[in-house]
């Protein structure tokens, strides 16, 4: 039997996992109430996790915190819950592992960072244990973290941050969407932390106070997701953009936009975007704008920054054959 001192050398093995950001094109919030939603993977913004045997207590190395996982700040409750659940699921030792997390998905910006971190952790620990991680087990482990981060997540982020192509998601089931649309999506960070849990709660309050209008908005957002999916499949970029602007009006009425997001969205439209809206939980976080060509995308990104965005990313959308990877 190796001693625990010898264990890291004995194994020397590293388990690796990654996942990426996502944007929701249509259907955020309504998806929590059963409507369909459409999300795109942003695989240029990734999270990587590496898990290694190393003597001592279970340890995390990251930009936000480095030290024993047990002493990590509350902010890291979600990844801590995922690590604990994964260690139990894969029969790994509760001590003697160091996990390093790196990546470019900004936290609390509506880009799925909590699901991406959870996904990368689940995959790295499964890899360290030499285990195949099936889709269902993956999604359940990510859901452990998402419940801590957001309360009652729809499951959309868990699917979208693992998907290799756009997905349409409804009632817990994700379908990959083959499509013929090309263009550029400008993602702009409002610089204000999004508050998904609070935004989800304010939509619930809206639905209680205004049941008829609330139901109409949920149905309207769901219909935009369905029609937007058809437009995407058929390559009707202009219509996708027009529906994004319509969705933003509904999200604004629900109270999940913010003055900062409104300014950035309006600036993108004034600079020639085909459509623009908030993405994800809202009340902060990011806005997205759809643009036809790279020059237009650069101009829209500049306008969004002039309107207060602290960072922008330009993501190319190309036709997809609907294969997952
Ligand atoms: C968060 O990215 C999307 C929401 O619809 C919440 C969820 O789907 O769980 C706001």
């Amino acid at each position: 039997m190796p001693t625990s001192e010898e264990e890291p050398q004995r194994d020397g093995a590293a388990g690796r996992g990654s996942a990426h950001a996502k944007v929701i094109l249509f259907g955020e919030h309504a998806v929590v109430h059963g409507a369909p939603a459409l999300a795109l993977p942003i695989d240029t913004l990734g999270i990587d996790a590496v898990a290694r045997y190393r003597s001592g207590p279970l340890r995390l190395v990251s930009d936000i915190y480095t030290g024993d996982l047990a002493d990590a700040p509350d902010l890291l409750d979600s990844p801590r819950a995922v690590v604990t659940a994964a260690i139990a699921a894969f029969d790994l030792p509760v001590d003697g592992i160091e996990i390093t997390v790196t990546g470019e998905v900004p936290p609390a910006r509506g880009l799925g960072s909590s699901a991406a971190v959870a996904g990368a952790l689940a995959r790295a620990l499964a890899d360290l244990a030499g285990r195949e991680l099936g889709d269902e087990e993956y999604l359940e482990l990510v859901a452990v973290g998402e419940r801590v981060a957001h309360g009652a997540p729809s499951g959309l982020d868990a699917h979208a941050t693992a998907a290799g192509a756009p997905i349409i998601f409804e009632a817990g089931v994700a379908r990959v969407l083959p499509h013929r649309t090309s263009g550029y999506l400008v993602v702009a960070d409002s610089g204000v932390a999004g508050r998904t849990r609070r935004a989800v709660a304010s939509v619930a309050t809206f639905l209680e106070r205004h049941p008829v209008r609330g139901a109409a908005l949920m149905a309207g957002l769901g219909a935009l997701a369905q029609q937007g999916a058809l437009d995407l499949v058929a390559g009707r970029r202009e219509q996708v953009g027009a529906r994004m602007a319509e969705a933003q009006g509904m999200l604004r009425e629900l109270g999940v936009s913010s003055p900062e997001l409104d300014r950035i969205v309006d600036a993108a439209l004034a600079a020639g975007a085909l459509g623009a809206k908030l993405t994800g939980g809202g009340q902060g976080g990011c806005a997205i704008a759809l643009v036809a060509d790279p020059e237009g995308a650069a101009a829209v990104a500049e306008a969004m920054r002039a309107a207060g965005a602290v960072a922008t990313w330009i993501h190319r959308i190309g036709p997809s054959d609907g294969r997952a990877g």
Side-chain angles (χ1 to χ4, degrees):
M1 276 284 284
T3 66
S4 58
E5 288 282 282
E6 284 164 342
E7 215 157 292
Q9 286 78 20
R10 177 201 66 163
D11 211 302
R16 293 172 197 280
S18 50
H20 50 69
K22 63 84 185 65
V23 293
I24 301 177
L25 200 53
F26 296 109
E28 52 272 271
H29 288 291
V31 68
V32 175
H33 301 277
L38 205 165
L40 308 183
I42 303 287
D43 50 14
T44 45
L45 293 179
I47 296 285
D48 296 303
V50 180
R52 285 193 179 83
Y53 290 115
R54 185 175 182 153
S55 57
L58 180 60
R59 196 176 138 80
L60 178 71
V61 177
S62 75
D63 278 355
I64 298 176
Y65 169 81
T66 292
D68 293 354
L69 191 61
D71 301 331
D74 296 354
L75 184 67
L76 297 176
D77 280 352
S78 163
R80 183 172 22 223
V82 176
V83 169
T84 307
I87 280 178
F90 306 143
D91 295 321
L92 284 164
V94 288
D95 280 322
I97 295 176
E98 180 181 86
I99 307 168
T100 304
V101 178
T102 51
E104 302 126 319
V105 188
R109 291 299 190 271
L111 300 180
S113 76
S114 60
V117 168
L121 287 170
R123 284 175 166 158
L125 288 164
D127 191 29
L128 186 70
R131 287 271 305 263
E132 280 292 319
L133 185 57
D135 288 352
E136 227 166 273
E137 199 174 16
Y138 173 87
L139 292 168
E140 184 39 47
L141 285 170
V142 176
V144 168
E146 290 292 90
R147 282 195 286 272
V148 173
H150 304 312
S154 64
L156 172 61
D157 287 14
H159 280 88
T161 53
I167 55 167
I168 180 117
F169 178 87
E170 188 171 11
V173 178
R175 274 179 302 121
V176 171
L177 202 66
H179 75 89
R180 304 218 314 259
T181 301
S182 53
Y184 293 81
L185 209 53
V186 185
V187 182
D189 181 355
S190 70
V192 179
R195 302 173 191 92
T196 300
R197 186 186 277 269
R198 205 183 79 174
V200 168
S202 52
V203 171
T205 306
F206 187 102
L207 292 174
E208 260 170 49
R209 290 200 185 137
H210 313 283
V212 176
R213 183 65 189 148
L217 288 171
M218 294 299 110
L221 288 165
L224 286 172
Q226 258 152 356
Q227 293 153 353
L230 293 174
D231 291 335
L232 206 69
V233 168
R236 296 189 291 257
R237 192 171 51 206
E238 277 70 20
Q239 279 91 328
V240 174
R243 294 192 204 284
M244 288 168 71
E246 226 182 304
Q248 173 65 12
M250 294 185 193
L251 291 165
R252 205 178 280 187
E253 187 177 343
L254 280 172
V256 293
S257 192
S258 70
E260 293 83 3
L261 286 167
D262 288 345
R263 264 198 301 278
I264 292 168
V265 164
D266 292 347
L269 294 173
L274 300 170
K277 62 182 277 293
L278 67 85
T279 186
Q283 296 187 345
C286 286
I288 51 173
L290 182 64
V291 187
D293 52 68
E295 297 75 26
V300 166
E302 198 183 318
M304 291 169 104
R305 284 197 301 274
V310 296
T312 53
W313 300 267
I314 296 177
H315 179 74
R316 196 173 74 81
I317 306 173
S320 139
D321 59 11
R323 269 188 295 229

